[in-house]
Amino acid sequence: MLQSRALVIALILLLSTTLPEVQSKSIFEKDRRELLAIPETIASYFYEAVNKVSPKVSQFLLDTVQSPTVIAARQRIAKEATKVSIMFEQLVEKIKNLWYTRILGY
């Protein structure tokens, strides 16, 4: 009887530690487009808040954001962020490979 209780407790502990790991997503597995959408989302919320207070100021912000200079800067930032994100993904893959081959010996 005591052995079966110990077995049940061990199984509960094992399942409680492994199930959340199955559903969790690693920080390295996030889609890089999600990271690039964060500034756009913040700007959208800011625009909506300003629009509620003063439609004239929000129209000025909209005109400013749609100017060729700002559009070119946003495109340049997005391009560079994509490059950095790709380089980071390659670095993570190299670290994983090094970990599995050198440290764990797989």
Side-chain angles (χ1 to χ4, degrees):
M1 182 74 171
L2 186 58
Q3 291 177 344
S4 63
R5 279 190 183 179
L7 181 61
V8 168
I9 291 172
L11 286 174
I12 290 172
L13 289 174
L14 178 65
L15 289 176
S16 67
T17 57
T18 57
L19 286 180
E21 292 173 4
V22 171
Q23 296 174 355
S24 66
K25 190 173 185 181
S26 172
I27 185 173
F28 301 119
E29 294 174 3
K30 289 187 176 181
D31 193 11
R32 74 173 161 266
R33 286 171 283 167
E34 292 176 6
L35 298 176
L36 294 175
I38 292 171
E40 296 291 328
T41 305
I42 293 171
S44 173
Y45 288 140
F46 181 74
Y47 173 77
E48 289 175 9
V50 170
N51 193 25
K52 289 179 183 177
V53 175
S54 174
K56 288 183 180 181
V57 175
S58 66
Q59 184 61 41
F60 171 75
L61 288 175
L62 187 61
D63 293 340
T64 304
V65 169
Q66 292 176 347
S67 69
T69 307
V70 175
I71 290 174
R74 289 173 61 201
Q75 289 174 344
R76 173 83 176 173
I77 290 170
K79 182 180 174 183
E80 295 301 320
T82 302
K83 286 181 185 177
V84 168
S85 180
I86 291 170
M87 288 174 18
F88 181 73
E89 288 176 5
Q90 291 171 349
L91 177 65
V92 168
E93 288 301 317
K94 288 180 181 179
I95 290 172
K96 283 182 183 178
N97 187 21
L98 180 69
W99 177 261
Y100 288 131
T101 57
R102 302 288 179 165
I103 307 297
L104 297 179
Y106 290 140

